[in-house]
Amino acid sequence: MTQEQIKKVSRVTYFAMLLGVILWLIAIIAPACFFVQKQVLPAYLMRKILSPVCHQIIDRSFLLWGYPLAVCARCSGIYFGVLLGILFYPLLKSYKKLELLPRSYLIVMLLPTTVDFLLGAFHILENTHFSRAFTGVIAGFALAFYIARAIINLALEITKTIASKRKGVVFYGSK
Amino acid sequence: MDQSKLKPALISGVIFGIISLIPFVNLLNCCCGWLMICGLVAVKMYSSNNPNAIKSSDGAVVGAMSGAIAAIIIQMVNLIFSIINYRGVSSEELKEIFRREIEKQPTADPKVVEMVMQWADLIIGNLIIFVFLFALIGIVIMTVFGGLGGLIGASLFGKKTPPSTPPYDYGQSFGEGQKSSYPGQ
């Protein structure tokens, strides 16, 4: 693949990913919007669809116009962090390189939300909506860089395989 | 099916499927945390058994397989518990349960509840279809999260550094010939 093709595939994948995250966030906000419109059934069904993703405890969820989002404050923070991370991703210096950030970065960034969760779970320090969401944003922000890189790598790999099949050439390691 | 991928996916899927069902421990399933870890662990296991570098697509497949296995276990157990709980419950009682479920929602406006209850017959009449539909949607979502975990795993654990060239062994070259210690050679 030429550098131009790599750039093009990376860009298309990046925008598809961004769209996917925005749609996911819309799905999280949607039940609250349905509740405002007194559309309880679609709101209930949306919440039910997203129930495998989160415990959805209303007391632990952010309220929008007085109605809860489809996921808890921590999950909302994580998904918002993922959106922020993906928006910031092109600003990263190594964006054009196909390299991944070191593993240690991810561990360090996941630490605050883990500590916040454990302190709350063991009743050592009661966490708040803010602490859950803020530590979630940090975790999501970090995760986004790894997810984005991994998905772009996958897209490049698939494009390479399709291109080689079209040409009838099988590269070493492509199967 | 590729056995080298199925084995780690199966082991990781079963382990994390069970973990996701344990009370308190399952709280980490917030944002499908356990399922992402499930995909990550499956890829780590796959990578340990594979001398070559792991491709992103392999990571995604192994992660998604493990996520799907864990999701099927979770949904099956939930389904079994639902069947046990609602065994012998009449459609009128089911309607009442549905009403309570709707009343628990933040908009407990009686008018709205009555409006929703108009749908109750449709939902209860096709309860099995709805239950399976939600279970299926759950499995799809969890599989995607497992696949994401696998993708991250492939990026984190997939690269293998090639072994450095060993120094030339003069002694052996005059004997039976040098035997390579590299895997696959």
Side-chain angles (χ1 to χ4, degrees):
Chain A
M1 274 176 100
T2 61
Q3 280 299 314
E4 201 50 48
Q5 283 172 315
I6 290 174
K7 255 186 201 174
K8 194 181 165 190
V9 173
S10 301
R11 207 175 297 142
V12 170
T13 314
Y14 171 79
F15 283 111
M17 220 159 30
L18 189 62
L19 184 70
V21 176
I22 291 170
L23 287 177
W24 184 253
L25 284 171
I26 289 172
I28 288 167
I29 296 167
C33 301
F34 282 129
F35 279 128
V36 171
Q37 302 291 320
K38 306 278 181 200
Q39 304 273 339
V40 179
L41 193 65
Y44 172 72
L45 292 177
M46 270 315 272
R47 281 180 70 82
K48 200 84 181 152
I49 288 170
L50 291 174
S51 63
V53 174
C54 181
H55 53 68
Q56 298 183 320
I57 299 171
I58 293 174
D59 292 344
R60 286 178 170 256
S61 306
F62 281 120
L63 302 179
L64 191 66
W65 303 301
Y67 298 106
L69 300 183
V71 293
C72 70
R74 193 182 306 281
C75 288
S76 305
I78 290 174
Y79 295 131
F80 185 65
V82 169
L83 177 69
L84 278 183
I86 288 186
L87 286 173
F88 272 85
Y89 182 73
L91 304 177
L92 198 74
K93 271 186 181 176
S94 62
Y95 168 59
K96 287 175 187 75
K97 293 179 197 166
L98 298 176
E99 292 287 318
L100 196 78
L101 292 168
R103 246 176 266 180
S104 51
Y105 283 18
L106 184 64
I107 295 166
V108 168
M109 299 288 261
L110 288 178
L111 218 56
T113 196
T114 312
V115 170
D116 183 68
F117 168 77
L118 290 174
L119 289 176
F122 290 107
H123 302 290
I124 298 166
L125 193 76
E126 213 48 56
N127 48 32
T128 60
H129 270 25
F130 177 76
S131 74
R132 287 179 216 128
F134 184 69
T135 54
V137 169
I138 295 171
F141 187 79
L143 263 174
F145 289 94
Y146 293 84
I147 292 172
R149 185 70 272 156
I151 291 177
I152 289 172
N153 277 346
L154 179 68
L156 288 171
E157 211 178 283
I158 291 169
T159 316
K160 211 186 279 179
T161 311
I162 292 168
S164 66
K165 273 187 184 166
R166 271 191 194 155
K167 282 181 187 170
V169 179
V170 178
F171 289 116
Y172 173 72
S174 66
K175 197 172 179 183
Chain B
M1 184 161 294
D2 192 349
Q3 291 293 318
S4 64
K5 284 181 186 147
L6 185 64
K7 201 179 162 189
L10 199 65
I11 295 169
S12 180
V14 170
I15 291 171
F16 285 95
I18 293 168
I19 286 175
S20 301
L21 289 163
I22 300 170
F24 184 74
V25 181
N26 66 0
L27 284 176
L28 200 77
N29 225 0
C30 209
C31 294
C32 286
W34 279 130
L35 288 158
M36 284 184 83
I37 297 171
C38 171
L40 211 91
V41 170
V43 169
K44 176 71 185 158
M45 284 161 73
Y46 176 64
S47 154
S48 320
N49 298 328
N50 201 326
N52 304 317
I54 309 295
K55 291 195 293 177
S56 298
S57 54
D58 288 334
V61 169
V62 174
M65 276 163 68
S66 63
I69 291 164
I72 289 167
I73 291 171
I74 294 167
Q75 299 292 17
M76 287 284 275
V77 172
N78 285 338
L79 214 63
I80 290 166
F81 272 103
S82 300
I83 291 168
I84 292 168
N85 283 339
Y86 297 119
R87 196 178 43 182
V89 176
S90 69
S91 61
E92 280 308 307
E93 286 171 308
L94 275 176
K95 219 170 165 179
E96 202 43 49
I97 292 167
F98 184 68
R99 177 187 288 276
R100 267 181 267 145
E101 186 86 351
I102 293 297
E103 281 172 349
K104 265 195 281 177
Q105 300 301 315
T107 306
D109 185 346
K111 272 186 200 168
V112 174
V113 173
E114 284 315 313
M115 268 167 59
V116 175
M117 286 311 288
Q118 289 171 4
W119 293 87
D121 287 328
L122 175 77
I123 292 173
I124 291 165
N126 302 294
L127 194 61
I128 293 173
I129 296 171
F130 273 97
V131 167
F132 274 98
L133 193 69
F134 282 125
L136 199 70
I137 292 170
I139 289 171
V140 170
I141 292 175
M142 292 188 225
T143 304
V144 170
F145 274 89
L148 273 180
L151 263 177
I152 298 172
S155 307
L156 292 177
F157 311 118
K159 274 187 187 168
K160 300 273 164 75
T161 45
S164 55
T165 314
Y168 190 74
D169 190 338
Y170 291 98
Q172 277 196 356
S173 61
F174 293 106
E176 292 173 6
Q178 193 178 8
K179 284 179 185 168
S180 171
S181 59
Y182 296 133
Q185 285 187 354

